[in-house]
Amino acid sequence: MSVTIEIIISVMILLGASLSILAAIGVIRLPDVYTRTHAAGISNTFGVSLLLFATVGYFFHTGQGFNARVLLAILFIYLTTPIASHLINRAAYDTGVPLAIRIRDQLRSVKKDDIKKRKNLIIKQEQLERARQEREELEDQLDWELRDERIEEREVSEDVAREREETRIEQESDDSENEIIELDEENDSDKKED
């Protein structure tokens, strides 16, 4: 029984290594990003998981116990690798990475419509943003003009008040000079009479 378990573990190791090598060759030889990530995602997932299953089987067979962490690693690999491959391919397609010549693009017409809608939406958003900025600039300009008008009105009113004050002061000084002159004349006339 122990020989058959060791053979099964050896076969799993060989299959896992072979799938990992196939994934490496696929990454090197395939024509574009999409097929390369497919090769790396599928083959490497199965290759690594077979190697980890072989590790669990070996340690369980030798009596060193059952390692649940390795099974959790296998689960993690099965959950993350396909999703990562899909997202890499999607990002490459959305950014416009070209497909290989031999591959027919079935999403092109759908993507063109989607891209047109996105571009139109972006253009509308930019136009709205420009209009908002222009409106804010006009409001700021109007505020500045109103402030300038208020400042000019205040300066004019201050100038008028200053002129009134100066004329009042001049009149008072003229009146006081006239009073002094009159007093002097009265005093002179009083002196002459004496």
Side-chain angles (χ1 to χ4, degrees):
M1 179 78 174
S2 124
V3 174
T4 57
I5 292 176
E6 289 177 3
I7 291 173
I8 291 172
I9 291 172
S10 300
V11 167
M12 288 173 70
I13 290 172
L14 287 174
L15 279 174
S18 301
L19 286 173
S20 295
I21 290 171
L22 278 174
I25 292 170
V27 167
I28 293 170
R29 298 286 297 170
L30 289 172
D32 62 358
V33 173
Y34 309 104
T35 54
R36 288 177 185 163
T37 54
H38 180 73
I42 301 298
S43 301
N44 205 14
T45 300
F46 289 125
V48 171
S49 62
L50 280 174
L51 289 172
L52 290 175
F53 275 127
T55 304
V56 169
Y58 174 76
F59 284 116
F60 188 71
H61 173 67
T62 58
Q64 294 181 3
F66 181 74
N67 196 346
R69 284 182 269 173
V70 178
L71 291 177
L72 286 175
I74 293 168
L75 179 67
F76 182 73
I77 288 170
Y78 272 112
L79 290 176
T80 57
T81 305
I83 295 170
S85 297
H86 173 73
L87 290 176
I88 290 169
N89 282 338
R90 186 174 180 182
Y93 191 81
D94 287 342
T95 56
V97 176
L99 295 165
I101 297 169
R102 298 174 279 195
I103 298 173
R104 192 177 82 199
D105 187 5
Q106 296 175 348
L107 288 176
R108 183 179 226 161
S109 61
V110 175
K111 275 298 194 184
K112 279 186 178 179
D113 293 339
D114 190 34
I115 289 171
K116 285 180 184 177
K117 288 178 185 176
R118 286 184 187 176
K119 282 183 181 178
N120 289 337
L121 181 64
I122 289 170
I123 289 170
K124 286 178 184 177
Q125 288 175 344
E126 288 175 352
Q127 289 172 346
L128 288 173
E129 182 64 25
R130 269 192 241 120
R132 186 187 61 79
Q133 288 176 352
E134 288 175 2
R135 188 184 75 231
E136 287 178 358
E137 289 173 3
L138 288 174
E139 288 174 355
D140 288 343
Q141 186 178 4
L142 182 63
D143 286 344
W144 280 107
E145 289 174 358
L146 288 174
R147 287 178 191 159
D148 288 343
E149 287 177 8
R150 288 179 191 151
I151 290 171
E152 287 176 8
E153 288 174 3
R154 189 179 313 139
E155 287 175 353
V156 167
S157 65
E158 287 175 358
D159 287 342
V160 168
R162 192 177 309 116
E163 287 176 7
R164 286 182 188 160
E165 184 68 24
E166 287 175 359
T167 55
R168 188 184 60 81
I169 290 173
E170 284 178 11
Q171 286 176 354
E172 285 179 3
S173 66
D174 286 344
D175 289 343
S176 63
E177 281 180 14
N178 288 337
E179 285 178 16
I180 292 173
I181 291 172
E182 287 176 7
L183 283 174
D184 282 344
E185 287 176 359
E186 283 179 12
N187 285 338
D188 285 340
S189 66
D190 284 345
K191 284 183 186 178
K192 285 182 185 179
E193 287 179 4
D194 286 335

